[in-house]
Amino acid sequence: MELGQANLEVFAATVLELAREDSDLLVVTSDSRGSAKLAPFAKSAAGQIIEVGIAEQNLVGVAAGLAAAGKNVFAVSPACFLTARSLEQIKNDLCYSDRPVTVIGISAGVSYGALGTTHHSLHDYAALRAIHNITVVAPADNFETREAVRAAAKSAKPLYLRFGKKRMPNLPRVEPSFALGKASLIREGNDLSFLACGETVAAAFEAAESLAKEGVQSRVLSLHTVKPLDKPAVIKALTETRRVITVEEHSVHGGLGEACAAFLAEEGIQARFKIIGFPDEHTVTGNQDEIFHHYGMDGPGLAASARKMLSTH
């Protein structure tokens, strides 16, 4: 697959385009303009960026106040701190107060790699899914990132956008469109379905391409909107392939996999089902690729899980 840019770079370029069209668009950061690739924004739109320093709780409070004054606000900070240290502010100042701020969690999942578990955000889907009045989105590639940022700028409610750090492949699409709350069909297949979000979609596609050489046709869905879940797409995948593997750069507790499993149980739909994510243990230390490989979340690991599922009845 051809590599594009890091999704963060696409975010920064897209939000700058939007800021040039909308003087009310503001970016608030917590000492994150460098890691969020916002240096060009700060240079070209200096009057539309606010730096609060390493004060994530203040970041969300300031963003909420600006939104209350009619501004279109993007609040940017490392995901691990933003969705833990500032969770109360997200809950009360944004969601319960109905302030349409877009919260940008950067360097999410295990993107910080060797910095260790204090810098990993493997809890954010679970925490935010439990809060009323927020949309949770994890784009898979540059296309989804660009469209998600544009959609977020028009959103009338709080929205969380989650980004990693590495360059992402330009994924193919069966349906070349994007809408919040609607899954993107990346690859057709009727033997098994990979339901993934964020940077794990690329690994799922790699696994599907490998399995195709063995005669196994795997469906790949980018469930970029973790909340609200695209329930019709999940039902379609389950009823048509009967074997489903969910993949997420998140704990196996409370994320995409559990959302799909709970929905399946409620609907009474039976299928072979496996959640692949991070187990309830101290996460190993290494770079993102090494950690993915360790937990079987890279292409070869996912292909191996699929073969195991296909070999049992």
Side-chain angles (χ1 to χ4, degrees), residues 67-255:
K71 301 300 181 181
N72 190 356
V73 188
F74 287 78
V76 184
S77 186
C80 56
F81 306 129
L82 186 59
T83 60
R85 188 175 295 164
S86 307
L87 185 62
E88 183 176 11
Q89 285 70 35
I90 292 173
K91 180 184 71 172
N92 292 334
D93 297 348
L94 301 187
C95 299
Y96 293 175
S97 300
D98 200 23
R99 303 302 180 197
V101 171
T102 299
V103 181
I104 306 291
I106 65 173
S107 302
V110 293
S111 292
Y112 276 128
L115 292 179
T117 54
T118 58
H119 283 63
H120 296 166
S121 53
L122 304 179
H123 64 278
D124 47 350
Y125 298 157
L128 296 175
R129 283 183 59 235
I131 297 175
H132 169 64
N133 197 34
I134 188 167
T135 300
V136 178
V137 182
D141 63 0
N142 293 175
F143 169 77
E144 288 188 358
T145 294
R146 189 175 298 109
E147 296 304 313
V149 172
R150 289 172 175 164
K154 299 176 182 178
S155 177
K157 63 184 291 184
L159 190 146
Y160 174 63
L161 267 177
R162 187 198 215 234
F163 296 123
K165 294 176 66 175
K166 69 180 181 182
R167 292 174 63 192
M168 297 306 300
N170 295 311
L171 295 167
R173 276 179 167 71
V174 177
E175 301 164 350
S177 60
F178 178 92
L180 293 176
K182 182 174 174 55
S184 296
L185 181 58
I186 304 299
R187 192 184 190 282
E188 291 275 21
N190 289 315
D191 294 322
L192 177 141
S193 291
F194 288 106
L195 309 183
C197 60
E199 297 191 359
T200 64
V201 177
F205 181 78
E206 180 185 344
E209 291 291 283
S210 175
L211 291 165
K213 297 174 183 177
E214 304 166 21
V216 175
Q217 296 303 323
S218 305
R219 185 173 307 185
V220 179
L221 278 176
S222 171
L223 287 168
H224 48 71
T225 307
V226 177
K227 179 191 175 187
L229 190 68
D230 185 350
K231 294 179 179 180
V234 174
I235 288 178
K236 183 176 172 63
L238 292 167
T239 55
E240 292 181 358
T241 71
R242 309 304 302 177
R243 300 177 181 89
V244 173
I245 297 175
T246 66
V247 195
E248 58 195 305
E249 192 178 357
H250 185 273
S251 168
V252 294
H253 300 304

Side-chain angles (χ1 to χ4, degrees), residues 264-288:
L264 278 180
E266 289 178 345
E267 294 294 313
I269 299 174
Q270 296 183 356
R272 294 300 304 272
F273 188 89
K274 182 175 179 60
I275 298 174
I276 294 181
F278 289 88
D280 190 5
E281 66 182 38
H282 290 294
T283 310
V284 300
T285 299
N287 64 41
Q288 186 187 42

